[in-house]
Amino acid sequence: MATPKRAWQRMLSGRRLDLLDPTPVDVEIEDIAHGLAFVARWNGQTRGDHAYSVAEHSLLVETLFGRIAPKAPPKWRLAALLHDAPEYVIGDMISPVKAAVGPGYGALDDRLAAAVHIRFGLPATLPVQIKKQIKKADKISAWMEATQIAGFSETEASKFFGKPDTVIMNDLRIVLRAPVDARAAFTQRHLELLAEMQ
């Protein structure tokens, strides 16, 4: 009889997160912040002395979401900050790889996202309108990243991510920080949003 394959990951907090059946009790913000700060967007193919991390991207998406939906309550801003939280365990796969992997990747991502959401007081599944607004912020962030640090022309970026509203991204620049600094900024913003939700 074959030994079942391990489908869990030991986190630095000591938690053991089961990827096939994740539970909110095994989700810790310190693990998320640490993991995302060390996961590179664009498979690391960006300019600069540091990789552009998913933690930095998440901070930018939350800022953009706040500009798209300025009256949104803090819980939806928290949802924007956590929109890529599952990547602290499964990494950041570029879109072509996700397409090649197929629907199994999406199901895994959804299970992890639901556990993260419940852990921090959000609904397991976000309302459609909020998901659309976060996705819009995510695409604007991708356009900014593509043109500022990933070598895309504005025309090429607009082809893949859509032409962004320049007013929404006005005065924002991509920040490249050491992972420890990105981790600290992500953790701090998470704490601020939780405090606003009280």
Side-chain angles (χ1 to χ4, degrees):
M1 178 181 270
T3 304
K5 295 188 180 195
R6 180 173 66 90
W8 55 267
Q9 163 116 19
R10 175 78 61 198
M11 312 313 280
L12 289 178
S13 65
R15 298 286 187 188
R16 192 170 96 164
L17 185 69
D18 184 337
L19 300 181
L20 300 179
D21 187 22
T23 62
V25 75
D26 291 321
V27 173
E28 298 291 347
I29 194 59
E30 294 80 10
D31 293 330
I32 294 172
H34 182 82
L36 296 184
F38 283 89
V39 173
R41 297 253 309 155
W42 303 92
N43 279 349
Q45 299 301 307
T46 53
R47 297 183 193 105
D49 293 333
H50 298 288
Y52 184 68
S53 71
V54 176
E56 292 288 6
H57 164 75
S58 298
L59 288 161
L60 179 57
V61 168
E62 190 260 327
T63 297
L64 290 164
F65 173 79
R67 292 180 176 197
I68 291 166
K71 294 185 178 177
K75 70 178 182 176
W76 300 139
R77 291 196 67 152
L78 179 61
L81 182 70
L82 296 171
H83 79 284
D84 277 340
E87 294 178 9
Y88 86 105
V89 179
I90 57 178
D92 180 32
M93 281 196 212
I94 58 174
S95 296
V97 175
K98 288 178 186 175
V101 170
Y105 178 87
L108 176 60
D109 188 83
D110 289 345
R111 283 193 301 272
L112 288 165
V116 169
H117 289 164
I118 292 167
R119 170 65 175 88
F120 299 113
L122 301 170
T125 303
L126 301 179
V128 172
Q129 182 61 25
I130 299 302
K131 281 185 83 166
K132 283 182 181 176
Q133 290 170 324
I134 292 171
K135 189 63 180 173
K136 180 177 180 181
D138 194 32
K139 284 191 167 194
I140 294 170
S141 176
W143 189 94
M144 291 174 65
E145 294 162 23
T147 58
Q148 291 182 31
I149 59 171
F152 285 58
S153 69
E154 289 190 6
T155 302
E156 188 178 27
S158 296
K159 177 181 171 185
F160 292 109
F161 308 112
K163 181 112 175 98
D165 181 344
T166 55
V167 174
I168 292 172
M169 60 183 188
N170 185 39
D171 78 6
L172 294 175
R173 301 294 302 161
I174 298 297
V175 176
L176 295 174
R177 291 185 268 195
V180 293
D181 296 328
R183 178 180 64 199
F186 184 93
T187 303
Q188 180 61 37
R189 186 61 184 142
H190 180 264
L191 288 172
E192 290 167 359
L193 290 166
L194 282 183
E196 289 177 36
M197 287 169 61
Q198 302 305 322

